[in-house]
Amino acid sequence: MMWHSFAFKATPRIRISLPHHPSGVRLVRWPLAVSLTVLATACEPPGSAQQADLILHSAQVTTMEPTLASASAVAVQDGRIVRVGSDQEVLELRGPNTRVIDAAGHRLIPGLNDSHLHAVRGGRFYNLELRWDGVPTLGRALDMVRDQAARTPDGHWVRVIGGWSPQQFREQRMPTVEELNAAAPDTPVFVLYLYSRGFLNQAALAALGIDADTVAPMGGRFERGPDGNPTGVLLAEPNPTILYRTIGALPGMSLDEQINSTRHFFRELNRFGLTSAIDAGGGGHMFPENYEATKTLAQRSELTVRISYYLFPQRPGQELKDFQNWMAANEVGQDNARLLANGYALEGAGEFLVWSAGDFENFMAPRPRLGERRNWAGELTEVTRLLVENRWPFRIHATYGESISQIFDVFDKVNKEIPFNGLRWALDHAETISSRDIERIKALGGGVAIQNRMAFAGEYFVERYGKEAAAIAPPIRGLVESGVPLGVGTDGTRVSSYNPWLSLYWLVTGKTVAGTPLYGPENTLTRAEALRLYTIGSAWFSGEEELKGRLIPGQYADMTLLTEDYFAVSEEEIREIESILTIVDGEVVYAAEEFAGLVEPLPAVSPEWSPVARYGGYWSPSANR
């Protein structure tokens, strides 16, 4: 069976009673047979199971299950793990058709699961973007712009859309418009830094027709020179609409090219050991039309990352109508039986519910003040009421504690009218959440998804709010100890890099990508705690914590073999880890180095002038000579 032809095994959703959940009831994706077989399979004597489809042996296996703490081999059948143990115990399931892989002592962990990644949108644009993720110097980054400008045909742009921080560069600064003009005098260039600011070279200003008379959208600003003309610097203060609109004005790709782009992006995610992602929608990303590439791959059984997605309304003031229309045409938890079986599922609403309650995260500008916005609470109340009435899970973007408290006032009001009663909902980001509001989340049965945005903008947070505030932004240890469901991720591809090991590095060390210390030991995690949040913790946000995140019998056969031992390398080396072998649903979807022959190459990158064809994605010295 080829990697690109597998289908995720069907996992119909049913309601089951789980005594450890406060509500006693929750919606999970659960194979009907697993509830009867997990315990029996875990305890079965050697030789009693059928022959395995796949066996990995001679590995250092991290099961994330205390009762299976010591293991060196894993057996897989029909996309599920059927045995974990010693080489001798597991190799007893080898048959004439079993694929046997010698892991050569590498560390094997459950597949990573990003609880907040803009994966569908990332795939839609990946082949058009020049990635500065991990590039060590600004000089090299500008050389990449110069080279790509020479390769880019007329009518197209060079675009660097997030995933980098000026502090990662040896020069410790952002590019200037003058440097972009010198690198690409005739080709339009747009460089985005988080959702804080953007840079347009002179050719880009001309292509968009931006001049002294152009009016910026509300909440944004064009930086202007003494003559009143735009310099090319776009400022979100703090509303990012000016940045969204610029991205939206750039030329796109055909559907076939988007499909090719998405395949290459998901292979890139597999490169870092990612096997699942919970997609948070995103600005400038319309449903259903902008989801066609990922949906097509699901229909073809070609997904290599399990995708659970939330719907993000794009029309300010029309959010209630959009959700009503979506509810009439879509059922939460499934797109249809085939797509669900192939690892593609609609989860609910968010991460924005209404634009008027947007709590934008630009640490280079003052925080937004919800109380100054007309009828934000009324709009949020209407949408929340609709979601709770229809039992649609939801998540909401909120950065600052002041905004979070006001948002929770709305949730408390709705809960008194229509009890949440175990409905899954989550808060995204939560950098300055208070202890009181963590307890309010717990009382309403919600979860929190945090990301390493501070690793990419922590220096600016310190500059504006001080070291003391930054030391608990977010309060990672407090969230862990509260018992609130907690997942982690990246918020890639624009606010942060999609590389999960940067997020794990941040959780363990408390440092930014430049190595700037933010947190002391009281707000960092052990390596095991951080990995647990990136596996079992993140699975909660799609109701799959009983199916993902551990290497034990009955769970999905999603796992990754690492280039270096996460538990043995130095803290600084954590961010250099990649996958050497990634397996999803029991199939090899990524392989490198000595395992490279185990996976088929993807079709050539399209269009052929794509930056990905020249540089790949995340910085690799071997691909950037």
Side-chain angles (χ1 to χ4, degrees):
M1 182 181 295
M2 300 301 183
W3 76 268
H4 59 277
S5 64
F6 74 86
F8 294 111
K9 309 306 181 284
T11 54
R13 291 189 173 193
I14 59 174
R15 288 191 178 275
I16 61 173
S17 177
L18 294 172
H20 62 278
H21 188 270
S23 69
V25 176
R26 61 181 161 183
L27 189 64
V28 298
R29 188 177 302 129
W30 185 269
L32 296 178
V34 166
S35 59
L36 300 177
T37 63
V38 169
L39 291 178
T41 307
C43 302
E44 67 183 357
S48 64
Q50 297 178 357
Q51 294 173 352
D53 301 323
L54 171 71
I55 291 175
L56 273 82
H57 67 91
S58 302
Q60 299 180 72
V61 182
T62 298
T63 66
M64 305 304 294
E65 175 61 43
T67 59
L68 282 172
S70 178
S72 60
V74 176
V76 174
Q77 185 180 54
D78 294 331
R80 298 287 186 272
I81 295 170
V82 293
R83 187 175 294 176
V84 181
S86 68
D87 286 2
Q88 181 179 354
E89 292 168 331
V90 173
L91 284 168
E92 288 181 350
L93 301 186
R94 176 173 49 190
N97 297 317
T98 302
R99 187 180 207 178
V100 179
I101 299 175
D102 184 341
H106 286 279
R107 174 69 61 180
L108 183 71
I109 65 171
L112 299 178
N113 184 353
D114 193 316
S115 64
H116 187 117
L117 175 67
H118 299 276
V120 177
R121 187 182 65 188
R124 175 180 153 217
F125 288 110
Y126 180 64
N127 282 1
L128 291 179
E129 294 176 353
L130 178 66
R131 305 301 304 180
W132 281 358
D133 306 41
V135 176
T137 71
L138 178 58
R140 181 60 181 138
L142 291 168
D143 284 344
M144 293 166 70
V145 171
R146 183 177 294 105
D147 175 68
Q148 184 57 36
R151 302 176 63 251
T152 301
D154 291 345
H156 289 277
W157 288 55
V158 175
R159 57 188 90 183
V160 179
I161 309 295
W164 61 279
S165 168
Q167 280 74 34
Q168 81 190 39
F169 298 138
R170 188 176 303 145
E171 297 89 340
Q172 294 278 294
R173 65 175 179 85
M174 297 189 191
T176 65
V177 172
E178 291 74 21
E179 288 171 325
L180 296 176
N181 287 334
D186 302 312
T187 304
V189 175
F190 178 51
V191 175
L192 175 74
Y193 172 59
L194 310 183
Y195 281 132
S196 299
R197 61 183 54 189
F199 302 86
L200 295 169
N201 70 346
Q202 194 61 44
L205 288 171
L208 294 176
I210 297 174
D211 57 26
D213 297 323
T214 305
V215 178
M218 185 177 296
R221 179 168 65 89
F222 295 111
E223 181 184 82
R224 298 182 186 273
D227 59 0
N229 287 313
T231 64
V233 178
L234 312 182
L235 301 169
E237 295 185 338
N239 190 319
T241 300
I242 190 172
L243 305 175
Y244 283 144
R245 287 188 182 179
T246 303
I247 297 170
L250 307 186
M253 291 187 286
S254 69
L255 179 58
D256 283 345
E257 288 173 328
Q258 290 179 46
I259 291 169
N260 178 281
S261 177
T262 300
R263 290 184 69 179
H264 279 273
F265 181 54
F266 287 4
R267 174 69 66 89
E268 174 78 350
L269 297 179
N270 297 148
R271 168 189 166 192
F272 294 101
L274 213 71
T275 60
S276 290
I278 303 175
D279 185 277
H285 191 57
M286 302 292 290
F287 179 82
E289 53 265 41
N290 294 149
Y291 289 70
E292 281 302 310
T294 299
K295 181 178 179 179
T296 299
L297 290 175
Q299 290 170 327
R300 297 177 182 175
S301 303
E302 292 178 1
L303 285 181
T304 64
V305 177
R306 300 181 191 270
I307 301 292
S308 301
Y309 64 97
Y310 285 75
L311 299 186
F312 185 129
Q314 299 299 311
R315 302 185 300 162
Q318 300 296 311
E319 298 93 344
L320 182 66
K321 184 178 294 185
D322 283 343
F323 283 124
Q324 288 170 334
N325 291 338
W326 290 334
M327 287 177 179
N330 299 275
E331 185 176 349
V332 168
Q334 57 184 4
D335 218 359
N336 61 45
R338 177 172 171 77
L339 295 186
L340 177 61
N342 289 356
Y344 183 66
L346 171 60
E347 294 297 333
E351 65 179 291
F352 267 32
L353 298 180
V354 295
W355 281 80
S356 57
D359 185 36
F360 307 111
E361 71 282 1
N362 182 3
F363 301 144
M364 301 177 75
R367 70 172 181 84
R369 299 181 184 277
L370 298 189
E372 297 175 357
R373 299 179 187 169
R374 184 171 175 266
N375 198 34
W376 74 270
E379 291 180 353
L380 182 59
T381 298
E382 286 186 329
V383 167
T384 304
R385 186 183 292 119
L386 176 73
L387 297 171
V388 177
E389 283 178 337
N390 288 274
R391 309 305 293 168
W392 263 49
F394 65 87
R395 56 198 304 166
I396 187 166
H397 169 117
T399 299
Y400 299 98
E402 296 86 348
S403 301
I404 291 168
S405 292
Q406 292 175 284
I407 289 168
F408 281 176
D409 290 342
V410 170
F411 290 172
D412 286 338
K413 176 183 176 182
V414 173
N415 182 59
K416 289 176 182 176
E417 300 172 13
I418 313 167
F420 281 32
N421 193 27
L423 178 68
R424 290 216 175 186
W425 69 274
L427 183 73
D428 281 300
H429 312 312
E431 272 82 2
T432 68
I433 189 171
S434 67
S435 297
R436 174 177 178 268
D437 285 330
I438 292 174
E439 290 304 312
R440 295 173 80 181
I441 293 176
K442 192 172 184 177
L444 278 180
V448 179
I450 60 172
Q451 303 80 39
N452 62 329
R453 302 191 308 183
M454 287 288 286
F456 284 78
E459 288 85 357
Y460 295 111
F461 188 100
V462 171
E463 183 178 325
R464 181 168 292 275
Y465 300 108
K467 291 183 179 180
E468 186 175 346
I472 51 169
I476 301 167
R477 175 58 59 187
L479 286 163
V480 168
E481 293 179 354
S482 74
V484 167
L486 183 62
V488 296
T490 61
D491 203 5
T493 58
R494 296 178 181 174
V495 171
S496 167
S497 174
Y498 50 78
N499 181 348
W501 296 99
L502 300 181
S503 193
L504 286 158
Y505 168 80
W506 164 74
L507 290 167
V508 170
T509 68
K511 296 178 182 178
T512 70
V513 292
T516 302
L518 295 176
Y519 317 135
E522 67 281 355
N523 198 39
T524 56
L525 303 180
T526 67
R527 300 186 196 206
E529 287 174 323
L531 184 60
R532 183 176 182 84
L533 294 183
Y534 232 112
T535 52
I536 300 169
S538 291
W540 183 90
F541 295 82
S542 58
E544 296 176 296
E545 61 269 37
E546 304 297 339
L547 287 174
K548 293 179 180 179
R550 293 174 291 173
L551 298 182
I552 61 172
Q555 292 230 328
Y556 290 146
D558 298 351
M559 61 194 95
T560 183
L561 204 64
L562 304 180
T563 53
E564 303 293 338
D565 186 351
Y566 168 63
F567 293 100
V569 297
S570 71
E571 287 185 346
E572 293 303 314
E573 291 175 301
I574 290 174
R575 53 184 168 179
E576 306 299 327
I577 293 174
E578 295 185 13
S579 171
I580 199 170
L581 186 73
T582 302
I583 292 170
V584 178
D585 207 51
E587 299 286 341
V588 176
V589 297
Y590 175 82
E593 299 182 20
E594 66 261 42
F595 301 102
L598 298 182
V599 67
E600 290 187 351
L602 291 177
V605 175
S606 176
E608 62 182 4
W609 54 267
S610 163
V612 174
R614 171 69 175 86
Y615 294 105
Y618 193 89
W619 169 265
S620 171
S622 62
N624 287 273
R625 290 174 179 157

